[in-house]
Amino acid sequence: MRIAYFTNDLEFAKRFSMLLGKNDTDMIFEIIDVKSQILGLGDCELDIENCDLIVGDVGISADDLRFDLLISQDDKLLTLCEHYNNLVAAYRRKRGIRSTKPYGGQAKILYFCSSGGGSGKTTIALGVADELCRFHDKKVLYLCMEPFSGSDKYFEVFDRKKDMDEYLYLLFSKKEANLFDFLATDTYGTFAFCMNKFRNPFYEMTELEMREVLENLDICGQFDYIVCDGYLPFGQLEMMLTSSAYKICIVDDGKKESALKKMLSYFERGIYVQKDKLVKVKNFAEFEDESEDGTVFILRDSDCIGVSQSGMLQVNTDGDFGLGIKKLCGEVA
Protein backbone atom coordinates (compact mmCIF):
# COMPACT_ATOMS: atom_id res chain seq x y z
CA MET A 1 0.00 0.00 0.00
CA ARG A 2 1.59 3.28 -1.13
CA ILE A 3 0.55 6.23 1.04
CA ALA A 4 1.14 9.94 0.42
CA TYR A 5 1.08 11.87 3.71
CA PHE A 6 0.77 15.66 3.48
CA THR A 7 1.69 17.09 6.87
CA ASN A 8 2.32 20.29 8.76
CA ASP A 9 3.85 18.29 11.64
CA LEU A 10 6.93 16.70 10.14
CA GLU A 11 8.22 15.09 13.35
CA PHE A 12 4.94 13.30 14.01
CA ALA A 13 4.67 12.21 10.37
CA LYS A 14 8.15 10.69 10.51
CA ARG A 15 7.39 8.71 13.68
CA PHE A 16 3.95 7.75 12.35
CA SER A 17 5.28 6.40 9.06
CA MET A 18 8.31 4.71 10.64
CA LEU A 19 6.26 2.79 13.23
CA LEU A 20 3.45 1.82 10.85
CA GLY A 21 5.92 0.86 8.13
CA LYS A 22 7.77 -1.31 10.63
CA ASN A 23 4.50 -2.88 11.76
CA ASP A 24 3.47 -3.65 8.17
CA THR A 25 6.23 -3.70 5.56
CA ASP A 26 3.60 -3.50 2.79
CA MET A 27 2.89 0.11 3.82
CA ILE A 28 5.19 2.55 2.03
CA PHE A 29 4.93 6.23 3.02
CA GLU A 30 5.83 9.33 1.05
CA ILE A 31 5.92 12.40 3.34
CA ILE A 32 5.27 15.86 1.93
CA ASP A 33 6.08 18.73 4.33
CA VAL A 34 3.62 21.48 3.39
CA LYS A 35 5.46 24.04 5.52
CA SER A 36 8.42 23.94 3.16
CA GLN A 37 6.44 24.14 -0.08
CA ILE A 38 3.16 25.38 -1.48
CA LEU A 39 0.66 22.54 -1.46
CA GLY A 40 -0.51 21.56 -4.91
CA LEU A 41 -0.08 18.78 -7.36
CA GLY A 42 1.99 20.97 -9.61
CA ASP A 43 4.46 21.61 -6.78
CA CYS A 44 4.82 17.96 -5.76
CA GLU A 45 7.09 15.52 -7.55
CA LEU A 46 5.13 12.58 -6.13
CA ASP A 47 2.99 10.67 -8.63
CA ILE A 48 -0.34 10.99 -6.82
CA GLU A 49 -2.20 8.72 -9.24
CA ASN A 50 -0.03 5.77 -8.22
CA CYS A 51 -0.72 6.24 -4.51
CA ASP A 52 -3.29 4.00 -2.84
CA LEU A 53 -4.14 6.55 -0.13
CA ILE A 54 -3.85 10.31 0.24
CA VAL A 55 -3.56 11.27 3.92
CA GLY A 56 -3.35 14.77 5.36
CA ASP A 57 -3.38 16.66 8.64
CA VAL A 58 -6.59 18.52 9.49
CA GLY A 59 -6.34 22.13 8.30
CA ILE A 60 -4.48 21.34 5.11
CA SER A 61 -6.52 22.04 2.00
CA ALA A 62 -5.94 22.06 -1.75
CA ASP A 63 -8.32 22.55 -4.63
CA ASP A 64 -6.65 19.86 -6.72
CA LEU A 65 -6.25 17.24 -3.97
CA ARG A 66 -8.83 15.09 -2.22
CA PHE A 67 -7.76 13.40 1.02
CA ASP A 68 -8.86 9.82 1.82
CA LEU A 69 -8.09 10.28 5.51
CA LEU A 70 -7.57 13.38 7.67
CA ILE A 71 -5.64 13.22 10.95
CA SER A 72 -6.65 15.73 13.62
CA GLN A 73 -4.59 16.86 16.60
CA ASP A 74 -6.66 14.57 18.85
CA ASP A 75 -6.15 11.66 16.44
CA LYS A 76 -2.41 11.90 17.07
CA LEU A 77 -3.06 10.53 20.57
CA LEU A 78 -4.48 7.28 19.17
CA THR A 79 -2.61 3.99 19.58
CA LEU A 80 -0.59 2.50 16.73
CA CYS A 81 -3.24 -0.19 16.34
CA GLU A 82 -6.00 2.43 16.02
CA HIS A 83 -4.01 4.35 13.41
CA TYR A 84 -3.50 1.14 11.47
CA ASN A 85 -7.21 0.32 11.62
CA ASN A 86 -8.09 3.80 10.34
CA LEU A 87 -5.73 3.45 7.38
CA VAL A 88 -7.10 0.01 6.50
CA ALA A 89 -10.69 1.26 6.79
CA ALA A 90 -9.89 4.22 4.51
CA TYR A 91 -8.29 1.92 1.97
CA ARG A 92 -11.31 -0.40 2.00
CA ARG A 93 -13.68 2.55 1.54
CA LYS A 94 -11.68 3.88 -1.38
CA ARG A 95 -11.54 0.47 -3.07
CA GLY A 96 -15.20 -0.25 -2.44
CA ILE A 97 -14.38 -3.30 -0.33
CA ARG A 98 -17.32 -4.13 1.90
CA SER A 99 -16.42 -4.12 5.56
CA THR A 100 -16.74 -7.35 7.47
CA LYS A 101 -19.86 -7.36 9.63
CA PRO A 102 -19.67 -9.68 12.65
CA TYR A 103 -22.43 -12.20 13.28
CA GLY A 104 -23.89 -11.99 16.77
CA GLY A 105 -26.01 -15.07 17.36
CA GLN A 106 -26.85 -16.84 20.61
CA ALA A 107 -24.41 -19.73 20.13
CA LYS A 108 -20.80 -18.78 20.92
CA ILE A 109 -18.38 -19.38 18.04
CA LEU A 110 -15.02 -20.91 18.95
CA TYR A 111 -12.65 -20.54 15.99
CA PHE A 112 -9.60 -22.83 15.76
CA CYS A 113 -6.76 -22.08 13.35
CA SER A 114 -3.07 -22.78 12.85
CA SER A 115 -0.22 -21.62 10.64
CA GLY A 116 -0.14 -24.89 8.67
CA GLY A 117 -1.13 -28.55 8.49
CA GLY A 118 -0.13 -31.21 10.99
CA SER A 119 -0.50 -28.96 14.03
CA GLY A 120 -3.19 -31.11 15.67
CA LYS A 121 -5.77 -28.33 15.29
CA THR A 122 -8.65 -30.66 14.42
CA THR A 123 -7.91 -32.99 17.33
CA ILE A 124 -7.84 -30.06 19.74
CA ALA A 125 -11.04 -28.55 18.29
CA LEU A 126 -12.85 -31.87 18.65
CA GLY A 127 -11.36 -32.37 22.12
CA VAL A 128 -12.77 -29.03 23.28
CA ALA A 129 -16.16 -29.77 21.69
CA ASP A 130 -16.35 -33.17 23.42
CA GLU A 131 -15.19 -31.71 26.74
CA LEU A 132 -17.98 -29.11 26.61
CA CYS A 133 -20.51 -31.87 25.92
CA ARG A 134 -19.26 -34.36 28.52
CA PHE A 135 -18.45 -32.18 31.49
CA HIS A 136 -20.15 -28.83 30.90
CA ASP A 137 -23.52 -30.16 29.66
CA LYS A 138 -23.37 -27.99 26.53
CA LYS A 139 -24.81 -28.65 23.10
CA VAL A 140 -22.04 -28.25 20.56
CA LEU A 141 -21.96 -28.21 16.75
CA TYR A 142 -18.64 -28.86 14.98
CA LEU A 143 -18.09 -27.17 11.59
CA CYS A 144 -15.09 -28.11 9.46
CA MET A 145 -13.97 -25.27 7.17
CA GLU A 146 -11.18 -27.17 5.39
CA PRO A 147 -11.42 -28.10 1.66
CA PHE A 148 -12.05 -31.77 2.43
CA SER A 149 -13.72 -32.65 5.68
CA GLY A 150 -12.56 -35.68 7.64
CA SER A 151 -15.43 -35.48 10.09
CA ASP A 152 -17.01 -38.65 8.70
CA LYS A 153 -14.25 -40.59 10.51
CA TYR A 154 -15.41 -39.27 13.89
CA PHE A 155 -19.16 -38.79 13.53
CA GLU A 156 -21.36 -41.83 13.27
CA VAL A 157 -24.57 -41.83 11.25
CA PHE A 158 -26.94 -44.18 13.10
CA ASP A 159 -29.83 -43.84 10.67
CA ARG A 160 -29.98 -42.95 7.02
CA LYS A 161 -29.24 -39.23 6.95
CA LYS A 162 -29.33 -36.51 4.35
CA ASP A 163 -26.06 -34.73 3.63
CA MET A 164 -24.97 -31.12 3.83
CA ASP A 165 -25.63 -30.39 0.15
CA GLU A 166 -29.33 -31.14 0.53
CA TYR A 167 -29.53 -29.04 3.69
CA LEU A 168 -28.01 -26.05 1.88
CA TYR A 169 -30.34 -26.53 -1.10
CA LEU A 170 -33.41 -26.44 1.16
CA LEU A 171 -32.06 -23.53 3.20
CA PHE A 172 -31.22 -21.29 0.24
CA SER A 173 -34.49 -22.28 -1.45
CA LYS A 174 -36.37 -21.09 1.66
CA LYS A 175 -37.90 -24.51 2.19
CA GLU A 176 -38.67 -26.19 5.50
CA ALA A 177 -36.09 -28.66 6.85
CA ASN A 178 -35.59 -30.52 10.10
CA LEU A 179 -32.01 -29.69 11.10
CA PHE A 180 -31.37 -33.01 12.84
CA ASP A 181 -32.09 -34.93 9.64
CA PHE A 182 -28.69 -33.65 8.45
CA LEU A 183 -26.62 -34.12 11.62
CA ALA A 184 -24.47 -36.94 12.93
CA THR A 185 -22.95 -37.33 16.40
CA ASP A 186 -19.68 -38.58 17.82
CA THR A 187 -19.16 -40.75 20.90
CA TYR A 188 -19.65 -37.89 23.35
CA GLY A 189 -22.61 -36.16 21.73
CA THR A 190 -20.97 -33.44 19.63
CA PHE A 191 -22.95 -32.80 16.44
CA ALA A 192 -21.66 -32.30 12.91
CA PHE A 193 -23.24 -32.10 9.48
CA CYS A 194 -23.19 -35.24 7.34
CA MET A 195 -20.71 -34.56 4.53
CA ASN A 196 -20.17 -36.15 1.17
CA LYS A 197 -16.70 -37.62 0.60
CA PHE A 198 -15.67 -35.41 -2.30
CA ARG A 199 -15.72 -31.82 -1.11
CA ASN A 200 -16.71 -29.63 1.78
CA PRO A 201 -19.48 -27.11 0.93
CA PHE A 202 -18.47 -24.91 3.89
CA TYR A 203 -15.07 -24.27 2.32
CA GLU A 204 -16.73 -23.01 -0.88
CA MET A 205 -19.22 -20.71 0.83
CA THR A 206 -19.38 -16.96 0.54
CA GLU A 207 -19.60 -14.77 3.59
CA LEU A 208 -23.31 -14.08 2.95
CA GLU A 209 -24.10 -17.80 2.57
CA MET A 210 -22.34 -18.66 5.82
CA ARG A 211 -24.15 -15.85 7.58
CA GLU A 212 -27.47 -17.33 6.40
CA VAL A 213 -26.42 -20.75 7.75
CA LEU A 214 -25.49 -19.25 11.12
CA GLU A 215 -28.72 -17.29 11.30
CA ASN A 216 -30.71 -20.45 10.59
CA LEU A 217 -28.82 -22.29 13.33
CA ASP A 218 -29.53 -19.41 15.67
CA ILE A 219 -33.26 -19.56 14.89
CA CYS A 220 -33.24 -23.28 15.74
CA GLY A 221 -31.72 -22.41 19.11
CA GLN A 222 -30.27 -25.88 19.61
CA PHE A 223 -26.60 -25.10 20.31
CA ASP A 224 -24.59 -23.35 22.99
CA TYR A 225 -21.33 -23.45 21.03
CA ILE A 226 -20.30 -23.71 17.39
CA VAL A 227 -16.74 -24.99 17.04
CA CYS A 228 -15.22 -23.90 13.72
CA ASP A 229 -12.23 -25.90 12.52
CA GLY A 230 -10.74 -23.06 10.45
CA TYR A 231 -8.56 -22.97 7.38
CA LEU A 232 -5.94 -20.67 5.84
CA PRO A 233 -5.48 -18.40 3.99
CA PHE A 234 -7.80 -15.76 5.39
CA GLY A 235 -10.52 -14.56 3.06
CA GLN A 236 -13.74 -12.61 3.54
CA LEU A 237 -15.49 -15.69 5.00
CA GLU A 238 -12.73 -16.26 7.55
CA MET A 239 -12.75 -12.56 8.45
CA MET A 240 -16.45 -12.72 9.21
CA LEU A 241 -16.08 -15.86 11.34
CA THR A 242 -13.09 -14.58 13.33
CA SER A 243 -14.75 -11.21 13.91
CA SER A 244 -17.86 -13.09 15.10
CA ALA A 245 -15.95 -15.53 17.31
CA TYR A 246 -16.18 -15.52 21.09
CA LYS A 247 -12.64 -16.91 21.24
CA ILE A 248 -9.98 -17.64 18.60
CA CYS A 249 -7.62 -20.51 19.44
CA ILE A 250 -4.31 -20.34 17.57
CA VAL A 251 -2.67 -23.77 17.60
CA ASP A 252 1.15 -23.89 17.38
CA ASP A 253 3.06 -27.14 16.88
CA GLY A 254 6.46 -25.42 17.21
CA LYS A 255 7.51 -26.13 13.61
CA LYS A 256 6.35 -23.05 11.72
CA GLU A 257 7.71 -20.13 13.71
CA SER A 258 7.83 -17.54 10.92
CA ALA A 259 4.34 -18.44 9.66
CA LEU A 260 3.02 -18.29 13.22
CA LYS A 261 4.50 -14.82 13.80
CA LYS A 262 2.90 -13.57 10.60
CA MET A 263 -0.44 -15.03 11.63
CA LEU A 264 -0.25 -13.53 15.13
CA SER A 265 0.66 -10.13 13.73
CA TYR A 266 -2.42 -10.31 11.51
CA PHE A 267 -4.64 -10.84 14.53
CA GLU A 268 -2.81 -8.56 16.97
CA ARG A 269 -3.17 -5.57 14.69
CA GLY A 270 -6.79 -5.72 15.75
CA ILE A 271 -8.26 -5.09 12.30
CA TYR A 272 -11.07 -7.61 12.64
CA VAL A 273 -10.78 -8.97 16.17
CA GLN A 274 -10.05 -7.81 19.70
CA LYS A 275 -6.86 -9.06 21.33
CA ASP A 276 -8.73 -10.48 24.31
CA LYS A 277 -10.35 -12.99 21.97
CA LEU A 278 -7.02 -14.65 21.19
CA VAL A 279 -5.96 -17.84 22.98
CA LYS A 280 -2.54 -19.28 22.11
CA VAL A 281 -2.25 -23.07 22.26
CA LYS A 282 1.10 -24.89 22.28
CA ASN A 283 0.52 -28.45 21.06
CA PHE A 284 2.81 -31.49 21.40
CA ALA A 285 4.50 -29.94 24.44
CA GLU A 286 7.00 -32.17 26.25
CA PHE A 287 6.22 -30.56 29.59
CA GLU A 288 3.81 -28.00 30.97
CA ASP A 289 5.20 -24.49 31.32
CA GLU A 290 4.09 -21.10 32.56
CA SER A 291 3.68 -18.37 29.97
CA GLU A 292 3.30 -14.63 30.42
CA ASP A 293 0.90 -14.39 27.47
CA GLY A 294 -1.43 -17.09 28.86
CA THR A 295 -0.46 -19.81 26.36
CA VAL A 296 -2.22 -23.13 27.06
CA PHE A 297 0.11 -26.15 26.79
CA ILE A 298 -1.19 -29.45 25.39
CA LEU A 299 1.10 -32.32 26.32
CA ARG A 300 2.26 -34.83 23.72
CA ASP A 301 0.03 -37.89 24.08
CA SER A 302 0.18 -40.81 21.63
CA ASP A 303 -3.14 -42.11 22.98
CA CYS A 304 -5.16 -38.93 22.28
CA ILE A 305 -6.85 -40.63 19.30
CA GLY A 306 -8.60 -43.93 19.85
CA VAL A 307 -11.23 -46.13 18.22
CA SER A 308 -14.78 -46.51 19.52
CA GLN A 309 -16.65 -49.82 19.74
CA SER A 310 -18.38 -48.98 16.47
CA GLY A 311 -15.03 -48.51 14.72
CA MET A 312 -15.14 -44.71 14.55
CA LEU A 313 -12.21 -42.53 15.58
CA GLN A 314 -12.65 -40.74 18.87
CA VAL A 315 -10.66 -38.12 20.74
CA ASN A 316 -9.46 -39.41 24.10
CA THR A 317 -9.34 -36.69 26.76
CA ASP A 318 -8.80 -39.03 29.71
CA GLY A 319 -4.98 -38.86 29.53
CA ASP A 320 -2.29 -36.16 29.37
CA PHE A 321 -3.92 -34.62 26.30
CA GLY A 322 -7.11 -34.10 28.27
CA LEU A 323 -5.34 -32.08 30.99
CA GLY A 324 -4.53 -29.37 28.47
CA ILE A 325 -8.00 -29.57 26.93
CA LYS A 326 -9.57 -28.97 30.34
CA LYS A 327 -7.45 -25.85 30.80
CA LEU A 328 -8.30 -24.67 27.30
CA CYS A 329 -12.01 -25.12 28.02
CA GLY A 330 -11.51 -22.95 31.10
CA GLU A 331 -10.23 -20.21 28.78
CA VAL A 332 -12.97 -20.44 26.15
CA ALA A 333 -16.11 -21.66 27.98
Side-chain angles (χ1 to χ4, degrees), residues 5 12 16 19-20 27 29 69 71-90 269:
Y5 185 4
F12 171 81
F16 177 86
L19 292 172
L20 283 167
M27 283 189 173
F29 288 85
L69 178 67
I71 298 176
S72 68
Q73 198 63 35
D74 289 340
D75 289 338
K76 293 178 181 180
L77 301 177
L78 297 175
T79 64
L80 185 66
C81 179
E82 289 170 324
H83 279 303
Y84 187 90
N85 290 351
N86 288 341
L87 286 169
V88 171
R269 288 170 191 158

Side-chain angles (χ1 to χ4, degrees), residues 1 27 52-53 68-69 84-101 207 234-237 239-240 243 266 271-272:
M1 186 191 301
M27 283 189 173
D52 296 298
L53 279 181
D68 302 306
L69 178 67
Y84 187 90
N85 290 351
N86 288 341
L87 286 169
V88 171
Y91 177 79
R92 292 173 68 87
R93 285 195 301 270
K94 187 172 184 178
R95 296 291 177 181
I97 302 172
R98 184 166 48 84
S99 297
T100 301
K101 181 182 178 182
E207 175 194 353
F234 290 110
Q236 195 71 18
L237 172 60
M239 291 178 197
M240 185 273 286
S243 63
Y266 174 93
I271 305 174
Y272 303 109

Side-chain angles (χ1 to χ4, degrees), residues 4 245 317:
T317 58

Side-chain angles (χ1 to χ4, degrees), residues 5-10 13 31-35 56-57 60 76:
Y5 185 4
F6 292 84
T7 183
N8 51 25
D9 186 349
L10 187 58
I31 299 175
I32 300 93
D33 183 8
V34 301
K35 287 184 177 181
D57 292 336
I60 296 175
K76 293 178 181 180

Side-chain angles (χ1 to χ4, degrees), residues 13 31 57 59 69 108 120 167 198 220 224 239 242 259 277 303 311 322:
I31 299 175
D57 292 336
L69 178 67
K108 294 179 179 178
Y167 168 77
F198 302 104
C220 294
D224 302 300
M239 291 178 197
T242 52
K277 285 185 178 184
D303 296 324

Side-chain angles (χ1 to χ4, degrees), residues 259-277:
L260 178 67
K261 286 182 178 178
K262 186 174 182 180
M263 184 178 191
L264 286 172
S265 69
Y266 174 93
F267 282 125
E268 290 174 347
R269 288 170 191 158
I271 305 174
Y272 303 109
V273 300
Q274 293 78 41
K275 289 184 180 180
D276 59 4
K277 285 185 178 184

